[in-house]
Amino acid sequence: MKEQRRGRKIAMTPAEVDAFLAEERTCRVATTGSDGPHLTPLWFVWDGTALWLNSVVKSQRWTDVVRDPKVAVLIDAGREFDELRGVEVRGVLTPVGEAPRTGAPDPDLATPELLFARKYAGRDEMHYDGRHAWLRLEPTKFTSWDFRKM
């Protein structure tokens, strides 16, 4: 993984990144479409090694990822300048499991689905709507900042 070079004084520690990604609910996913960049908000979970995105299969985002799986994902928070903090994750998205997901047992999805169900529904079982599927992002680069450290 590439090391963050700029802004090290305000960079988050690995533990701070883990806590931030567990807490925040919405990310912005930047893909490359046939006519240029495409940016969309999406729910996600972090399992400590990979970012998991639950995406509608019949979406421009999914089409873009099939064509070019390299993405940047931004998770940020704060209103005032001295409250701003965030993480940019770069890497390659890989579809995992059935698409669309109907709930057939899949040990590769047990952890992200439990994390997702707890984070967004407050329960231990995932709801399947037959429209979404999983994309796994193994980071090749993290860039983080926390202006509260200034």
Side-chain angles (χ1 to χ4, degrees), residues 45-124:
V45 291
W46 170 249
D47 70 4
T49 60
L51 201 68
W52 292 85
L53 308 175
N54 194 247
S55 176
V56 172
V57 175
K58 292 184 179 180
S59 66
Q60 184 62 53
R61 175 182 45 253
W62 192 276
T63 301
D64 292 348
V65 167
V66 168
R67 181 180 19 248
D68 181 357
K70 292 179 290 193
V71 298
V73 177
L74 176 67
I75 305 97
D76 63 332
R79 288 181 58 102
E80 302 301 324
F81 180 79
D82 61 352
E83 299 171 343
L84 298 177
R85 58 196 175 121
V87 176
E88 179 194 24
V89 185
R90 289 181 179 253
V92 175
L93 282 174
T94 304
V96 178
E98 58 186 343
R101 181 90 171 108
T102 62
D106 188 331
D108 292 335
L109 296 175
T111 297
E113 288 186 345
L114 179 61
L115 291 170
F116 195 88
R118 287 178 176 171
K119 186 174 187 177
Y120 296 103
R123 60 178 184 236
D124 286 349

Side-chain angles (χ1 to χ4, degrees), residues 12-51:
M12 293 183 198
T13 66
E16 290 170 333
V17 168
D18 285 345
F20 182 75
L21 294 177
E23 173 186 312
E24 293 303 316
R25 295 176 57 88
T26 305
C27 68
R28 292 165 190 83
V29 181
T31 59
T32 304
S34 59
D35 59 348
H38 183 241
L39 186 64
T40 56
L42 196 61
W43 283 352
F44 71 96
V45 291
W46 170 249
D47 70 4
T49 60
L51 201 68

